[in-house]
Amino acid sequence: MASLPTPRITEEEYLQIERAADYKSEFADGEMFAMSGGTLSHSQLALNWGFELKLRLRGRECFVYNSDARIRTPRSGSYVYPDVSVVCGQPKTHQSSDDILTNPIVVIEVLSPSTEGYDRGKKFGLYREIESLQDYILVHTDSIHVEHFSRQPGSWLYRECEGVESIVSIASIGCDVRLGDAYEGIPGLPAA
């Protein structure tokens, strides 16, 4: 027996459902995808990265957002929730809303086994639609290891950083983050 195709919904239908929901869902290709909860390490890493960036950006016109900040991609009209995002200059929103960001310069995703493939593949493809995005950072939870993609003219430069003394240099916002600081307090990993 053939299965019926999943009915597609519009952006407007997604936003109406999402704004009334008790949980967050992402939206791509006309489908909603419920977001799963993360581990304590995942939560702590996202908080640590947000904290480290907030400290380094203090006094500048830059804003650090947590995973509650919904971002819209321009070409596909998709909606995603990164673990951490940064906007420098005036935050721009979609259609004068107060809950849909369109101009992040940095996006950070903390990897988990259930979302790693999506974060590396489809979700990174969606983020690449955003012209303002200059840095995409993938943070591992099982080791002190970060993968950093930086936008270059016509391509993305890939770098890896490992170990507590490694520094992630985020040129687009003029910040250097020592991995020992970003991984502070994560159970099962070496002390910073």
Side-chain angles (χ1 to χ4, degrees):
M1 176 189 283
S3 62
L4 296 174
T6 305
R8 304 286 185 202
I9 62 173
T10 66
E11 279 186 62
E12 292 75 20
E13 290 169 324
Y14 160 75
L15 289 171
Q16 183 178 16
I17 295 166
E18 180 70 1
R19 287 175 174 145
D22 293 332
Y23 56 89
K24 294 186 288 190
S25 295
E26 294 189 333
F27 176 77
D29 300 325
E31 292 185 71
M32 288 180 69
F33 303 93
M35 296 182 67
S36 61
T39 64
L40 294 177
S41 293
H42 185 283
S43 177
Q44 188 64 56
L45 278 166
L47 180 65
N48 286 1
W49 276 92
F51 176 78
E52 292 298 325
L53 292 175
K54 182 75 174 163
L55 278 177
R56 285 159 179 76
L57 294 169
R58 179 166 286 163
R60 295 172 46 194
E61 191 184 3
C62 293
F63 305 90
V64 180
Y65 297 98
N66 68 15
S67 62
D68 288 333
R70 181 184 310 122
I71 294 175
R72 182 183 185 275
T73 64
R75 283 195 309 270
S76 63
S78 298
Y79 293 83
V80 290
Y81 289 94
D83 291 312
V84 179
S85 56
V86 178
V87 170
C88 288
Q90 186 64 37
K92 295 180 183 170
T93 59
H94 179 62
Q95 297 179 345
S96 301
S97 66
D98 66 352
D99 65 344
I100 305 170
L101 191 61
T102 62
N103 66 326
I105 191 167
V106 175
V107 165
I108 298 173
E109 291 288 357
V110 178
L111 298 175
S112 65
S114 64
T115 63
E116 183 173 352
Y118 175 59
D119 289 341
R120 290 179 179 287
K122 175 76 171 178
K123 199 169 190 180
F124 186 28
L126 295 173
Y127 285 133
R128 288 193 308 263
E129 294 179 21
I130 303 169
E131 287 185 25
S132 63
L133 185 68
Q134 297 299 307
D135 292 280
Y136 184 59
I137 298 171
L138 298 174
V139 177
H140 290 251
T141 56
D142 57 352
S143 62
I144 299 175
H145 180 196
V146 166
E147 298 175 65
H148 181 189
F149 297 85
S150 298
R151 190 184 295 265
Q152 307 295 307
S155 67
W156 288 81
L157 175 66
Y158 174 79
R159 287 174 282 184
E160 288 185 271
C161 296
E162 294 185 80
V164 294
E165 295 304 325
S166 291
I167 304 292
V168 177
S169 294
I170 310 171
S172 65
I173 56 173
C175 287
D176 290 339
V177 178
R178 181 180 164 271
L179 290 189
D181 296 332
Y183 276 84
E184 183 178 354
I186 305 303
L189 296 179

